[in-house]
Amino acid sequence: MASSKFILIFVCFIIGSLMRSTNAQDPSKLTLEYYSKTCPHAQEIVRTEMECFVRADPRNAALLLRLHFHDCFVQGCDGSVLLDDTEILIGEKQAEQNVNSLKGFDLVDKIKEKLEAECPGVVTCADLLAIAARDAVVLVGGPYWHVPVGRLDAKEASLDLANNDIPTPQQGLLTLISKFWAKGLSATDMVALVGSHTIGFARCANYRDRIYGDFEHTSKYNPSSEAYLNKVKETCPLDSGDDNISAMDYASPAAFDNAFYDQLIRGEGLLNSDQEMWSSVLGSQTADLVNKYWADPGLFFKQFSDSMVKMGNITNPEGGEVRKNCRFVNT
Ligand code: HEM
């Protein structure tokens, strides 16, 4: 009796594993040709929309790039970040690093509408984000890379993982490195990917501690940059203005270039987490990379492209579906 029960459990386990594996996502299954027959114009459609958004406001490039990053760090790149809260699903939009911060969901909706009009039920929201992030970078002067596609959209999201896995600006270098390691990304990938902060803005709430000196023991602000520091403090008072924004690369906030690394070398990184890569006493390897990416923009572009593909290849082993609306799982 006990042995037949064991056999039944064993058979159920095997069937369960097989069912899961038929829908499971294997990163090696991502290909450049995935939509070549089913939606041959998918890439052009995303590109045309992105051109329109970035022409209207270059910040839109930063929004889409960050969305892809926050998608990939939670369950893999599976569009989970795009899901709205419903009665039966708790999304990731209220996570500490996302709430009042992550934007661009309306832009994703617009791209998805165009894709659905051309080839209904074919292109996933996760792939849409990966392609849009690449186009975002190119449209503000950054490198081009081929985006392997074929990701599936998750049927679930995880607020807990979003709270735990997405790095925060208050974290020290070793924690940041370990968070990237946990996703299969090296310190080299991290230093290159954080180069994304060459575009876009941060809210005062995220850099107040740094500019008022609370991080003196980790990343001390360069005292010779007093004039710049005072300007940033005007935008970010000690006790108000949480949502006021400053550019992370004040030299060229709307251009994807390597000026961000120069700022770190000057001790002027806006986020403590950014400055850690150059200033941390534990960061000789990361500081070395910062120096290299400032000295050689071509090297930065090459590593950034490679690391974006690597980050984009983090798939959700649970598999999923092709969502009709990026905000909701299919019914
Ligand atoms: C150490 C890891 C990272 C930390 C701690 C971090 C943290 C942050 C913070 C705090 C902001 C400002 C958000 C706000 O104030 O509302 C931000 C903005 C941004 N991040 Fe990161 N980030 C990291 C890595 C990355 C990576 C890997 C990417 C892309 C591949 C990325 C892309 C961006 C972009 C484009 C913005 C500007 C968004 C905008 O203008 O709204 N970040 N990041």
Side-chain angles (χ1 to χ4, degrees):
M1 187 64 187
S3 70
S4 62
K5 216 171 171 185
F6 174 76
I7 290 170
L8 186 67
I9 292 170
F10 182 71
V11 170
C12 289
F13 172 77
I14 296 290
I15 292 173
S17 315
L18 282 175
M19 281 173 64
R20 231 173 296 129
S21 67
T22 50
N23 234 350
Q25 277 271 272
D26 171 357
S28 66
K29 296 273 154 47
L30 301 183
T31 63
L32 300 181
E33 296 80 31
Y34 192 80
Y35 297 118
S36 61
K37 293 215 168 68
T38 51
C39 196
H41 301 299
Q43 300 253 351
E44 285 156 60
I45 292 169
V46 178
R47 173 66 181 235
T48 306
E49 292 305 292
M50 285 303 295
E51 275 172 9
C52 199
F53 301 151
V54 176
R55 205 177 307 126
D57 182 354
R59 171 102 186 263
N60 287 333
L63 305 187
L64 269 296
L65 177 57
R66 186 163 185 241
L67 267 181
H68 180 50
F69 162 50
H70 284 216
D71 185 28
C72 295
F73 263 57
V74 182
Q75 306 182 157
C77 316
D78 61 358
S80 61
V81 71
L82 303 172
L83 289 169
D84 278 353
D85 288 347
T86 67
E87 273 175 16
I88 53 164
L89 185 140
I90 300 172
E92 294 159 14
K93 293 181 180 175
Q94 298 303 312
E96 195 200 336
Q97 296 305 308
N98 292 346
V99 68
N100 296 328
S101 176
L102 216 50
K103 297 189 179 80
F105 299 105
D106 52 329
L107 306 179
V108 172
D109 291 341
K110 285 182 187 152
I111 302 174
K112 179 65 171 167
E113 258 172 46
K114 297 276 177 190
L115 288 169
E116 287 297 298
E118 170 91 3
C119 14
V122 173
V123 183
T124 60
C125 301
D127 279 342
L128 179 167
L129 270 188
I131 301 166
R134 188 271 319 276
D135 290 344
V137 169
V138 172
L139 287 165
V140 288
Y144 179 94
W145 63 93
H146 294 296
V147 180
V149 282
R151 298 165 189 81
L152 291 171
D153 293 329
K155 296 182 185 175
E156 281 163 18
S158 175
L159 181 61
D160 282 348
L161 287 180
N163 277 324
N164 287 326
D165 292 4
I166 297 173
T168 81
Q170 291 81 17
Q171 284 165 334
L173 186 67
L174 292 187
T175 308
L176 297 170
I177 290 176
S178 71
K179 286 198 161 182
F180 278 76
W181 263 102
K183 303 292 165 193
L185 299 168
S186 65
T188 304
D189 293 316
M190 183 184 83
V191 178
L193 289 171
V194 173
S196 297
H197 292 173
T198 176
I199 55 170
F201 294 81
R203 286 168 312 130
C204 163
N206 280 320
Y207 60 81
R208 181 184 287 116
D209 293 350
R210 168 151 164 76
I211 60 171
Y212 289 98
D214 286 5
F215 284 112
E216 216 158 319
H217 299 295
T218 48
S219 311
K220 201 165 169 12
Y221 218 100
N222 179 355
S224 67
S225 307
E226 202 64 34
Y228 169 67
L229 187 56
N230 288 337
K231 238 174 73 190
V232 182
K233 283 181 177 170
E234 267 173 37
T235 317
C236 184
L238 193 53
D239 49 9
S240 62
D242 274 10
D243 290 330
N244 295 351
I245 55 168
S246 288
M248 290 181 284
D249 167 6
Y250 65 82
S252 49
F256 197 100
D257 55 22
N258 66 343
F260 166 76
Y261 295 108
D262 181 38
Q263 244 167 263
L264 301 188
I265 292 166
R266 291 164 186 263
E268 294 175 346
L270 190 65
L271 300 181
N272 190 68
S273 49
D274 290 346
Q275 194 59 49
E276 280 281 280
M277 295 188 301
W278 200 79
S279 302
S280 169
V281 286
L282 304 166
S284 64
Q285 184 202 355
T286 52
D288 201 35
L289 290 162
V290 168
N291 282 324
K292 281 189 178 139
Y293 296 152
W294 169 235
D296 185 348
L299 179 71
F300 165 49
F301 275 21
K302 171 76 177 76
Q303 185 59 53
F304 183 80
S305 308
D306 290 350
S307 298
M308 282 297 286
V309 171
K310 210 167 148 190
M311 183 176 83
N313 283 349
I314 311 172
T315 41
N316 182 341
E318 294 297 322
E321 61 184 5
V322 181
R323 239 177 260 154
K324 291 192 187 82
N325 177 334
C326 293
R327 292 173 185 266
F328 304 103
V329 297
N330 297 340
T331 45

